Amino acid sequence: MSSAPQGVHEARQELGGRLRALRQAAGVDGRTLAGRLGWPPSKVSKIQLGRQSPTERDIREWSAACGEPQAADELLILLRDLDHRYAAWRRQLRQGHATVQRAWAEAEAAARTIRLFESGCVPGLLQTAEYAAGIFQRNSRLHGSRPDTQAAVAARLARQQILYNPGPKRWHFVITESALLYGAATPPVMRTQIDRLVSATTLPALRLGIIPLRRRMPVSPAQSFCMLDDDQVVLEIFTAELRLGLPDEVAVYRKAFDMLAAEAWYGDDARRLLAAAAESWV
């Protein structure tokens, strides 16, 4: 797994690099390609260097001019990914945390299978109201965002109803034992929150695994992430929400998730870990 996901600039450079490689493989120099396309040579140069984003039409025409029209399909995925890859929290939180929760509810409703790995806190879909309030208050202080804690908690709890709806939707959550030991709330709230997780282990559509402390990890759990089907990976960092949609990126995160999930404890074993974590909050 890469140490840091790409931002918009890096993704634009990657797209430009792939277009340049396509041109070079065709044995065409930049000026010749520009002539074929009826573009100024500077446009070819800017696109290749990541200084200008091509349009969908640009990519299709570029690929065809290089004799590889089928190459446009993957390049278009990367282009569309540019628009969704980086959503700064400052922009997202202008209307408050509740709006972000409602956007997540829409994404979860559209997915059939959701896989989530969390190393720092309890997943939002399994949080109690008191625990969620502490998380939102903490994030508001960090980002200086509008403190709409009550509305945000209500929106998060509304999201959770999807776990109880009948249907084919499936969830697989893996969290580290350390996430249960971080002080995201007061001891009474933490005990209640962990008891909520015990109940969650019995939900028919949810598979909840806990990775014990001192377990030899197959990959470094550098970042928490959520997979929506096998189409998109969402990561939250301090400054932004990152959405990765390229097939090779998604495949790496799916492999990492499966490796982490293989080290988790489930069922009665998970409940024993949860009970021990609850007892530690005295």
Side-chain angles (χ1 to χ4, degrees), residues 193-207:
Q193 174 60 77
I194 294 171
D195 185 62
R196 167 80 171 90
L197 295 179
V198 173
S199 299
T201 63
T202 65
L203 292 174
L206 172 66
R207 188 177 185 213

Side-chain angles (χ1 to χ4, degrees), residues 9-148:
H9 178 63
E10 290 83 358
R12 188 182 293 120
Q13 286 182 319
E14 179 183 345
L15 176 56
R18 293 194 184 191
L19 287 166
R20 180 176 59 251
L22 188 63
R23 174 186 60 75
Q24 291 172 337
V28 180
D29 62 39
R31 187 170 295 275
T32 299
L33 178 63
R36 291 181 182 179
L37 295 172
W39 298 353
S42 61
K43 179 175 179 179
V44 171
S45 177
K46 288 178 180 177
I47 288 175
Q48 290 183 152
L49 294 173
R51 295 175 181 169
Q52 176 179 335
S53 292
T55 65
E56 290 194 14
R57 181 177 177 178
D58 290 341
I59 287 178
R60 293 192 186 279
E61 291 181 349
W62 184 304
S63 300
C66 292
E68 296 286 346
Q70 73 282 356
D73 293 339
E74 184 173 350
L75 294 170
L76 287 172
I77 292 175
L78 181 55
L79 175 66
R80 292 164 189 151
D81 195 46
L82 279 170
D83 295 332
H84 305 288
R85 178 178 288 269
Y86 190 95
W89 286 124
R90 184 179 298 276
R91 183 171 72 252
Q92 285 204 77
L93 295 176
R94 285 174 183 165
Q95 297 181 14
H97 295 266
T99 300
V100 175
Q101 294 304 301
R102 287 190 283 270
W104 263 103
E106 292 179 4
E108 290 158 350
R112 291 176 63 88
T113 302
I114 296 179
R115 300 174 181 87
L116 183 145
F117 171 72
E118 180 60 70
S119 62
C121 66
V122 173
L125 284 172
L126 300 179
Q127 291 177 5
T128 65
E130 293 79 8
Y131 185 97
I135 295 295
F136 286 126
Q137 289 165 359
R138 187 171 64 181
N139 289 341
S140 291
R141 289 193 296 271
L142 175 64
H143 298 291
S145 54
R146 185 160 61 90
D148 61 337

Side-chain angles (χ1 to χ4, degrees), residues 171-252:
W171 313 77
H172 187 176
F173 292 172
V174 176
I175 65 177
T176 62
E177 185 179 359
S178 59
L180 311 174
L181 305 177
Y182 289 138
T186 64
V189 170
M190 292 300 299
R191 288 195 297 269
T192 301
Q193 174 60 77
I194 294 171
D195 185 62
R196 167 80 171 90
L197 295 179
V198 173
S199 299
T201 63
T202 65
L203 292 174
L206 172 66
R207 188 177 185 213
L208 176 61
I210 314 293
I211 300 178
L213 290 171
R214 291 177 292 278
R215 191 78 165 181
R216 186 172 182 178
M217 301 293 277
V219 296
S220 175
Q223 56 218 188
S224 302
F225 60 91
C226 178
M227 296 189 65
L228 303 173
D229 293 320
D230 281 326
D231 301 324
Q232 188 176 77
V233 179
V234 184
L235 306 94
E236 294 182 358
I237 60 176
F238 283 134
T239 56
E241 181 180 85
L242 301 164
R243 294 179 176 270
L244 310 179
L246 292 177
D248 56 346
E249 290 179 321
V250 174
V252 170

